Amino acid sequence: MSSTLHMLPSWGQTIPGVVILAACVAIVATAELQRAWLWWIVAAAFCVSFVLNQHRLQPWAYQSAIYAVVFATLDREMARRWLIPLAASVYLYSGLGKLDYQFAHTVGQNFLGAVDLPGIGNLADRFEHNTLAMIALLLPLSEALIAIGLLFRRTRRIAGGCVMLLHLSLVVMLGPWNLDHSNGVLFWNILLIIQAWFLFVKPIAEPRESSPSSSLSPSATAVASADKTVGKRFVAAVVILAIVMPATERWGYWDHWTSWALYSPHSSRAEVQIHRSAMDQLPADMPPFLVDDDSDGWHRLQLNLWSLDRLNVPIYPQARFQLAVASRVAHLYDLSDSVRVIVKGVADRRSGVRKEQRMMGRKEIDAALKHYWIAQ
């Protein structure tokens, strides 16, 4: 149900994950000076995994791939210097991305509805919708301000403590006792609490004055120095790209999740509809995810629920990817003109309105895919 390199057998799709797991185990059991090439293996395996299936480009996986490149090349102190602005950019883009109409009137209010404050009770029960929308905007605004605090040495530890409280509050709101999000989301938030401690809050130890290359010959030292220079430049390019490109997300040049648009309902999407005349052509496990929305015989395919059921992750939040899913479904089950798609663009920040493009039939869907740089 995803855009993959379909010629690879199903068992082959699991190879990158096995490689990543094995390399991580080896990193834990290996001396520090020998870990660089293992981190390169982790980074390469993540990249191969993304190429095989864009659905795997989850925010945590994208972040892990970048971190692997940093750890493979830089020492601890230098890695920390690069990771601080990168991590701060995550919170900055995440906060700014939610300062819009869609978040204020949907997800933001769901978050507030999951909170009971002492002496106040549930905010959703005490305020009208528009007032609650204004209160909801305080959440991403606070996140953006915390991100700015992370960039400065004087405010970094305080902002880091706020980050830890932020993720702790998300665990409380998203846990099975409340909004009941997936365990993967909760685990990632716990890991980010740990990251905030080591990256922003924990006092910095003085670097040890030792050089692993002191025993090398002059020629070997020169080669090692050149390799480090190339590696540092590559890391700089990767991290700068990851920091700068999310600014282009709303114009469609960088994906929503790789721009840290987390819990941001403004993302582009595709609504896939299948006509009842083609129901007999579908697999038995698909009809439960079809909803009859009108009297013309068209049924909407609930892509997110289907993805959660089959893969235990939400559908990749990008119109391009979801359109590719529609194309794949149309070809697999020979739907021809029994499928149609409504592509909805990024929501306007002030009004929440989206531009829509309609495609009728498999040919129009395939033609629309050709307008994207990376569709499958």
Side-chain angles (χ1 to χ4, degrees):
M1 59 168 290
S2 52
S3 51
T4 60
L5 295 181
H6 302 292
M7 69 288 294
L8 195 67
S10 58
W11 60 265
Q13 298 282 341
T14 65
I15 291 177
V18 173
V19 171
I20 291 170
L21 180 61
C24 288
V25 171
I27 286 169
V28 174
T30 304
E32 184 173 353
L33 294 179
Q34 300 173 331
R35 292 175 184 167
W37 64 276
L38 290 170
W39 280 120
W40 280 119
I41 290 175
V42 171
F46 267 118
C47 291
V48 171
S49 181
F50 301 152
V51 171
L52 290 177
N53 190 340
Q54 292 177 49
H55 216 155
R56 294 171 179 163
L57 196 54
Q58 304 283 316
W60 68 267
Y62 173 68
Q63 182 185 43
S64 298
I66 298 173
Y67 279 26
V69 172
V70 173
F71 295 152
T73 310
L74 306 179
D75 58 47
R76 289 186 180 182
E77 181 57 31
M78 187 63 70
R80 185 176 181 275
R81 292 179 185 177
W82 280 103
L83 291 181
I84 284 175
L86 176 61
S89 75
V90 173
Y91 298 104
L92 182 62
Y93 285 119
S94 176
L96 294 179
K98 291 191 284 286
L99 282 172
D100 64 7
Y101 181 95
Q102 284 287 341
F103 178 82
H105 290 271
T106 57
V107 175
Q109 301 210 15
N110 291 338
F111 280 179
L112 294 178
V115 176
D116 286 314
L117 297 178
I120 298 178
N122 193 295
L123 295 179
D125 297 332
R126 294 186 63 87
F127 298 98
E128 63 176 6
H129 182 86
N130 288 335
T131 302
L132 205 61
M134 297 299 295
I135 297 173
L137 290 177
L138 295 177
L139 300 177
L141 180 61
S142 300
E143 187 176 7
L145 292 175
I146 289 171
I148 295 173
L150 294 174
L151 295 174
F152 299 97
R153 189 183 299 271
R154 290 185 177 181
T155 56
R156 185 169 297 148
R157 295 188 69 184
I158 296 175
C162 292
V163 168
M164 296 176 71
L165 291 175
L166 168 68
H167 288 293
L168 183 60
S169 66
L170 284 174
V171 170
V172 172
M173 285 190 293
L174 303 178
W177 47 82
N178 221 322
L179 296 179
D180 196 20
H181 283 222
S182 67
N183 292 331
V185 172
L186 300 179
F187 183 62
W188 189 39
N189 276 281
I190 292 172
L191 288 180
L192 290 177
I193 292 174
I194 298 172
Q195 172 188 266
W197 165 256
F198 283 104
L199 201 57
F200 305 123
V201 179
K202 183 182 178 182
I204 306 172
E206 292 294 327
R208 292 175 297 178
E209 295 184 1
S210 61
S211 175
S213 59
S214 59
S215 61
L216 299 177
S217 65
S219 60
T221 301
V223 171
S225 178
D227 289 343
K228 286 185 177 180
T229 300
V230 172
K232 288 178 181 178
R233 289 176 178 174
F234 180 72
V235 167
V238 169
V239 174
I240 290 173
L241 193 70
I243 291 175
V244 172
M245 287 306 294
T248 69
E249 175 247 341
R250 286 189 179 252
W251 291 276
Y253 294 106
W254 212 244
D255 279 6
H256 305 302
W257 266 356
T258 56
S259 300
W260 316 112
L262 310 172
Y263 307 107
S264 299
H266 72 261
S267 59
S268 62
R269 58 199 62 184
E271 183 177 303
V272 182
Q273 299 175 349
I274 300 174
H275 198 265
R276 64 186 174 200
S277 61
M279 290 298 172
D280 292 341
Q281 299 166 226
L282 302 177
D285 61 349
M286 187 182 291
F289 302 102
L290 291 167
V291 177
D292 185 3
D293 279 341
D294 58 36
S295 58
D296 295 331
W298 289 97
H299 293 68
R300 176 170 50 89
L301 177 58
Q302 301 178 94
L303 289 175
N304 203 50
L305 293 182
W306 190 28
S307 178
L308 287 169
D309 180 76
R310 298 288 291 276
L311 303 175
N312 203 31
V313 292
I315 189 73
Y316 191 68
Q318 201 75 32
R320 177 200 71 247
F321 180 85
Q322 296 176 19
L323 188 62
V325 171
S327 175
R328 183 61 179 165
V329 169
H331 283 272
L332 274 176
Y333 307 116
D334 193 24
L335 297 182
S336 188
D337 292 331
S338 299
V339 60
R340 67 183 185 185
V341 176
I342 304 173
V343 172
K344 300 181 179 182
V346 175
D348 181 84
R349 190 181 287 273
R350 293 184 178 181
S351 66
V353 175
R354 306 173 187 271
K355 293 182 179 179
E356 295 186 358
Q357 181 183 3
R358 296 173 180 268
M359 293 124 215
M360 182 69 186
R362 189 171 62 194
K363 289 183 179 180
E364 290 188 10
I365 294 172
D366 291 344
L369 275 177
K370 294 178 181 179
H371 294 290
Y372 294 99
W373 296 344
I374 303 174
Q376 305 199 35

